[in-house]
Amino acid sequence: MSVPEVPAPDELVISVEAPEPVRDDLGLEFTIESDVDVAHPLVTIGDSLTHGFQNLAVRNTDRSWPALLAEAMGVTPFRYPVYPGPDGCAGLPLNMEELLRHADTITKGRPLPAHALRLIVALYTQARGVQRYWGFGPGRLPVEQAEFNHNLAIYGWDVRDALSKNVGWCQEQLAERPARRSWNPRRLLVQNDGPIAALRALAGPGDPGTTQLTAARQLGAEGVGTLVVALGANNALSSVLRLRLVWSGDNFADLNGKKAYTVWRPAHFQQEYDQLVTEIEKVGARHVVLVTVPHVTVAPLARGVGDKPEGSRYFARYTYAWISDDQFDTADPCLTGTQCRQIDSAIDMYNQVIIEHVRAHRQAGDDWRVFDLCALLDRLAYRRYLDDPTTRPSWWNRYGPYPLPQALRELHPRPDTRFFLSDARGRTQGGLIALDGVHPTSIGYGIMASEMLAILARANVPGAVGATIDFADLLRRDTLVSNPPASLGGDFRTLGWLQHRLQLFAALTELW
């Protein structure tokens, strides 16, 4: 069965190659006065990449890149939400790493299918415990705190969500869809996990109208040193999670209507991002950093099938990572290489919108900067560029692959962006992307924090000059990489088994 090609928007300009990395100051330099003391040196707004999501859960928020950045800069206090959960499976909505740790105790390092029935019962029971905790136990209770968090990121949120969703909206969702006990083995996710996560992120002295942006504005009234905004990835990520390309329609700003779309037309993205910038300006931060949107097709959840055409950065077909080349059938969910090129080209246009906003503010004398996360991840993209020199863009020789920190270069195998795999011997591939195939591991978040630290050092932000991320220490704290689950298995067969029996990865599509 062929994949129907979806007509591209008229305004879409197809990129011949990935755009060249941009300097954080865009080459527009000016003298920056010494910073004065501010009440809130660092505030961040974003989605799952800033929230600290990994392994299908938001859990290790102390190892999100904002928390690592604040730690390196000596910023205290730096408040962020926490997601405890039941013993043995903390986090929201479902911590895959902890599930596999539990599986290790049953399989003793042998592949998961070796104890199929016993294992299914055990993992199902553990997942039900997580559901009870968040739906009927301590997790359902509101968090009371006197001050807003400094990390205001919320997983699953796009630009419109940041503008429109507020505390009252989250409370309404919980009231309209109360948790119900269900014994359906295909439904392992926590009900209403999104509103629950958001209410913890937005906890503080606000009212039902509190959004990410109004919370930041209230912090700004007391003084914000640096505001980092990293939004826009979820305006395209669903295309990879669902393996479907559906361009946004005229109701793209409707919170319910937009659920049908997986990629925003560039014109629609610009309308919303322009509104976002207007709200960012109201915070009054001394330094503002806008983060570019990564090429979501680089995420290893979607795996290229077969061999890439010579000289092309795209495979002919992309399907889920656990579907091997031998198993793949064109009836399986997939994106075509042409569709992936369109998605990435739309993202390139998103990023031009972001860059031009920074340019306008720098020309006006404001210290706004760009963190080109898109280019950083392109320079780490293993199957797209590192493993295939014929596909590298014209600017590659000037920049080269991203240089990993010394502590990571010494690891064997060297961490990369392929899907994480491990067995009884240890990690066999990957290491920068966590078990959900989309979000970074802790060392991956460390790379983001290190790059942001360099940007703030160039801006003379107090605490950033001379500071570094201790990757040797972070590696010890990154339990997935330093002590990987043995029961995962060293190939994709175990991933396929997990998906077939427990539908774990299908849960990703329900989060957005």
Side-chain angles (χ1 to χ4, degrees), residues 424-439:
R425 298 168 298 170
R427 180 175 54 88
T428 58
Q429 75 171 39
L432 296 180
I433 305 297
L435 293 171
D436 54 42
V438 175
H439 300 92

Side-chain angles (χ1 to χ4, degrees), residues 159-438:
V159 177
R160 171 50 51 191
D161 296 327
L163 291 165
S164 299
K165 289 183 179 178
N166 54 34
V167 168
W169 180 88
C170 295
Q171 293 170 336
E172 288 173 6
Q173 299 302 301
L174 294 177
E176 292 173 3
R177 301 179 299 173
R180 292 183 174 85
R181 299 184 187 276
S182 170
W183 299 102
N184 184 347
R186 296 294 191 180
R187 295 197 57 81
L188 296 179
L189 276 189
V190 173
Q191 294 171 264
N192 297 315
D193 64 286
I196 293 171
L199 286 172
R200 284 179 171 255
L202 297 176
D207 55 33
T210 299
T211 68
Q212 288 177 309
L213 292 156
T214 60
R217 195 188 311 167
Q218 290 191 52
L219 293 172
E222 301 172 356
V224 168
T226 298
L227 173 67
V228 183
V229 180
L231 286 165
N234 287 321
N235 290 85
L237 182 59
S238 287
S239 61
V240 172
L241 300 180
R242 303 177 191 174
L243 293 180
R244 292 181 61 210
L245 173 55
V246 183
W247 295 102
S248 58
D250 292 340
N251 62 339
F252 66 95
D254 180 76
L255 291 178
N256 289 318
K258 72 183 182 69
K259 294 177 182 178
Y261 308 128
T262 64
V263 182
W264 264 234
R265 288 178 49 184
H268 293 163
F269 180 87
Q270 177 159 8
Q271 288 181 48
E272 296 197 328
Y273 208 90
D274 289 350
Q275 295 176 44
L276 177 67
V277 167
T278 298
E279 296 303 313
I280 292 170
E281 293 168 342
K282 296 175 183 177
V283 176
R286 181 170 177 78
H287 309 275
V288 174
V289 182
L290 302 185
V291 182
T292 60
V293 178
H295 289 135
V296 297
T297 60
V298 169
L301 178 68
R303 190 180 67 85
V305 178
D307 297 321
K308 267 192 298 187
E310 186 175 356
S312 174
R313 55 183 156 146
Y314 299 103
F315 290 82
R317 292 284 189 276
Y318 288 80
T319 191
Y320 291 120
W322 52 86
I323 300 176
S324 67
D325 288 1
D326 293 340
Q327 295 171 326
F328 176 72
D329 185 278
T330 52
D332 289 322
C334 66
L335 289 169
T336 68
T338 298
Q339 290 175 328
C340 288
R341 187 183 296 275
Q342 291 179 357
I343 294 165
D344 286 349
S345 296
I347 289 171
D348 292 340
M349 295 182 73
Y350 298 173
N351 289 337
Q352 274 305 118
V353 170
I354 294 170
I355 290 166
E356 290 309 313
H357 274 295
V358 172
R359 188 185 310 279
H361 274 272
R362 289 195 70 78
Q363 290 173 337
D366 300 324
D367 190 27
W368 283 41
R369 294 173 183 261
V370 178
F371 173 15
D372 197 353
L373 178 61
C374 183
L376 186 157
L377 294 180
D378 279 348
R379 293 172 65 198
L380 285 167
Y382 185 88
R383 296 194 79 200
R384 181 162 295 185
Y385 297 126
L386 299 188
D387 194 42
D388 187 356
T390 69
T391 66
R392 295 171 181 172
S394 58
W395 49 262
W396 189 269
N397 288 340
R398 294 195 299 278
Y399 296 89
Y402 182 83
L404 293 177
Q406 179 71 25
L408 304 189
R409 292 199 303 270
E410 294 174 353
L411 295 177
H412 181 76
R414 184 172 291 190
D416 58 47
T417 60
R418 287 178 292 175
F419 206 105
F420 190 98
L421 291 175
S422 62
D423 58 21
R425 298 168 298 170
R427 180 175 54 88
T428 58
Q429 75 171 39
L432 296 180
I433 305 297
L435 293 171
D436 54 42
V438 175

